[in-house]
């Protein structure tokens, strides 16, 4: 199967906006319950819970945790085993319970109970990587940032926006380069919905995909 000259022109901003419009019209935007909160602390904890866990399980843990402990202070005071019990539906719940308590304590002691609006400070928190930091900055603080999760990564690489071996930062920057500021924080929700329903990591449903004409991966497979 030839792999060169599949696509002469990389997606530009206009084309990518057309793609996003099409996807929103057809599939809508995914905003799971654990991210549907303007409160930065809840968005942060929701993103930490979601690591390597399905949204339904994350939402369950999120609701159970915050219906029992509503504030940072409550979580700092809560027994660790209680946090573990409440978030048991997520993967790595023991490790996450400890990190959630540690993060709450640091926020209270170092930042007066506020979540820093600063990527460098966010990734210093235990269990917080770039993806989690970018979710907080984009969802909770409205910063023009594309948060890259597994669906965003899969779709953008298949479309040919990003090279296959790109890491997190290169992927984020490549997508941001062709996304106007006002749309950047929407990209995650759009591509997550599309990635779950159609462009699945295993067995993508290309036969029903509305954007095959833009897809490098699809073009390669047809040659
Ligand atoms: S054509 Fe297939 S691989 Fe390409 S975006 Fe659509 S579902 Fe994904």
């Amino acid at each position: 199967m030839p792999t060169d000259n599949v696509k002469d022109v990389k997606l530009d901003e206009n084309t990518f906006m057309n793609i996003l419009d099409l996807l929103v019209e057809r599939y809508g935007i995914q905003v799971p319950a654990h991210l549907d909160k303007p409160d930065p602390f809840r968005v942060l904890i929701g993103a930490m819970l979601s690591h390597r866990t399905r949204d339904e399980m994350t939402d369950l843990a999120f609701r159970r945790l915050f219906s029992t402990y509503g504030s940072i202070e409550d979580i700092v005071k809560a027994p660790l085993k209680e946090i573990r019990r409440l978030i048991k539906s997520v993967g790595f719940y023991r490790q996450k319970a400890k990190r959630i308590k540690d993060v709450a304590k640091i926020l209270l002691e170092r930042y007066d109970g506020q979540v820093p609006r600063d990527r460098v400070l966010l990734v210093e928190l235990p269990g917080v990587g770039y993806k989690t930091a970018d979710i907080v900055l984009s969802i909770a603080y409205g910063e023009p940032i594309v948060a890259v999760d597994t669906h965003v990564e899969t779709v953008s690489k298949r479309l040919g926006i990003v090279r296959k071996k790109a890491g997190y930062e290169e992927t984020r920057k490549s997508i941001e380069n062709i996304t106007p500021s006002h749309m950047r924080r929407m990209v995650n929700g759009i591509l997550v919905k599309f990635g779950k329903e159609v462009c699945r990591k295993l067995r993508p449903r290309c036969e029903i995909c509305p954007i095959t004409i833009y897809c490098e991966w699809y073009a390669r497979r047809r040659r």
Side-chain angles (χ1 to χ4, degrees):
M1 194 187 302
T3 54
D4 52 347
N5 294 327
V6 168
K7 194 172 198 166
D8 299 327
V9 183
K10 288 284 175 193
L11 289 187
D12 61 13
E13 185 175 303
N14 283 340
T15 313
F16 190 47
M17 288 308 98
N18 288 340
I19 290 173
L20 294 182
D21 282 349
L22 252 167
L23 296 181
V24 171
E25 196 179 306
R26 183 77 66 93
Y27 306 105
I29 302 177
Q30 161 108 5
V31 184
H34 64 273
L35 294 180
D36 188 21
K37 298 276 181 301
D39 174 7
F41 179 63
R42 294 192 178 208
V43 171
L44 172 63
I45 300 303
M48 290 174 70
L49 288 170
S50 74
H51 183 59
R52 299 181 73 175
T53 300
R54 285 188 293 123
D55 280 345
E56 304 74 42
M57 296 296 109
T58 303
D59 286 347
L60 178 64
F62 180 86
R63 287 200 192 93
R64 294 183 72 196
L65 178 65
F66 282 106
S67 61
T68 308
Y69 301 108
S71 67
I72 296 186
E73 290 84 352
D74 290 344
I75 288 181
V76 171
K77 286 183 205 149
L80 183 58
K81 68 174 186 185
E82 232 344 69
I83 307 262
R84 277 192 204 136
R85 186 182 68 78
L86 292 168
I87 67 165
K88 208 166 180 176
S89 59
V90 301
F92 307 98
Y93 69 95
R94 288 173 177 275
Q95 185 187 55
K96 286 177 184 174
K98 177 159 187 341
R99 284 178 171 172
I100 286 169
K101 264 187 78 73
D102 289 346
V103 164
K105 193 161 180 281
I106 292 169
L107 293 180
L108 206 55
E109 290 175 356
R110 210 179 289 170
Y111 300 108
D112 200 20
Q114 304 299 308
V115 176
R117 189 174 179 163
D118 182 306
R119 206 158 180 256
V120 175
L121 297 180
L122 281 168
V123 296
E124 283 178 358
L125 296 169
V128 177
Y130 285 132
K131 183 189 91 173
T132 300
D134 288 343
I135 284 174
V136 170
L137 293 172
S138 61
I139 305 272
Y141 287 125
E143 298 273 355
I145 291 174
V146 173
V148 178
D149 71 354
T150 180
H151 300 291
V152 174
E153 181 184 359
T154 299
V155 176
S156 60
K157 287 184 177 176
R158 284 181 177 155
L159 289 176
I161 295 169
V162 187
R163 72 188 176 93
K164 216 170 164 187
K165 292 190 174 163
Y168 184 95
E169 281 298 83
E170 185 181 338
T171 304
R172 177 180 68 80
K173 284 177 189 163
S174 300
I175 303 171
E176 287 179 357
N177 280 344
I178 56 165
T179 311
S181 298
H182 72 281
M183 281 298 292
R184 285 182 189 162
R185 53 195 298 269
M186 313 295 288
V187 169
N188 181 281
I190 297 169
L191 297 190
V192 166
K193 190 84 163 54
F194 175 61
K196 280 184 172 180
E197 293 190 15
V198 181
C199 194
R200 302 176 304 198
K201 193 156 189 161
L202 299 175
R203 299 188 305 281
R205 303 169 73 197
C206 303
E207 69 283 2
I208 61 158
C209 178
I211 57 170
T212 50
I213 57 167
Y214 303 111
C215 182
E216 186 175 276
W217 195 81
Y218 183 78
R220 282 181 198 278
R221 285 173 60 93
R222 287 177 63 86
R223 295 195 174 198

